[in-house]
Amino acid sequence: MNLVFRPLFLVCALSFCAPLGASESALNWQKTELFFGLSRPKQKPISPREWENFAATQITPRFPDGFTVMDGVGQWRGKNGKIAREKAKILLVVHPKNAHFERAVQKIIAAYKTRFAQQSVLRVESEVKVRF
């Protein structure tokens, strides 16, 4: 092999040894988790069909690039001192931190509280580094 091409060959060969994503820089994004209780005051719990309709009409249009929904069970001590439990849906969205996404999250929370007579929706935010 010609001495001129040896360094070039070595550089090309070693570039394939780098871990995937090693040269990609991480994006500083935000992770939003929303906890939606499925119980309603003086009514039957929110059904799977009602949840699916809510997700299709309120969440998907605001986060068309994707999101994750998980089932959960919450627990807390009520004002009466008794332990209360409630099934929940947990929405997880990773997104750029900007006003557009902030409005989308606020609208989803407001729609859920109104539609299902909820007092609150727990919201957890954290900054994350994202690589694709």
Side-chain angles (χ1 to χ4, degrees), residues 65-76:
D65 291 334
F67 56 88
T68 299
V69 175
M70 299 171 278
D71 292 322
V73 178
Q75 177 176 306
W76 67 95

Side-chain angles (χ1 to χ4, degrees), residues 3 5 16 18 21 30 39 45 47 49 51 65 68 74-75 83 90-91 93 99 101 104 113 117 126:
L3 288 177
F5 291 111
F16 290 104
Q30 183 166 317
S39 298
S47 71
R49 184 179 209 150
W51 169 259
D65 291 334
T68 299
Q75 177 176 306
I83 298 295
I90 304 162
L91 173 67
V93 185
F101 286 101
K113 288 167 61 176
S126 54

Side-chain angles (χ1 to χ4, degrees), residues 32-38 51 70 72-74 86-92 109 112 118 120-125:
T32 299
E33 296 169 274
L34 300 179
F35 294 74
F36 299 94
L38 297 177
W51 169 259
M70 299 171 278
V73 178
E86 179 179 18
K87 289 184 178 180
K89 293 289 186 181
I90 304 162
L91 173 67
L92 173 68
I109 291 170
Y112 193 79
Q118 298 292 302
S120 63
V121 172
L122 175 62
R123 177 179 179 173
V124 178
E125 304 278 352

Side-chain angles (χ1 to χ4, degrees), residues 24-99:
E24 300 170 13
S25 60
L27 302 171
N28 291 316
W29 279 15
Q30 183 166 317
K31 178 172 70 171
T32 299
E33 296 169 274
L34 300 179
F35 294 74
F36 299 94
L38 297 177
S39 298
R40 291 188 271 201
K42 301 178 185 175
Q43 293 184 39
K44 290 183 180 180
I46 297 161
S47 71
R49 184 179 209 150
E50 289 174 303
W51 169 259
E52 289 168 13
N53 179 268
F54 178 80
T57 60
Q58 299 297 322
I59 301 171
T60 300
R62 291 185 172 94
F63 293 110
D65 291 334
F67 56 88
T68 299
V69 175
M70 299 171 278
D71 292 322
V73 178
Q75 177 176 306
W76 67 95
R77 185 181 310 278
K79 291 180 182 177
N80 61 4
K82 294 183 179 180
I83 298 295
R85 291 177 183 84
E86 179 179 18
K87 289 184 178 180
K89 293 289 186 181
I90 304 162
L91 173 67
L92 173 68
V93 185
V94 178
H95 55 87
K97 188 174 183 178
N98 62 40

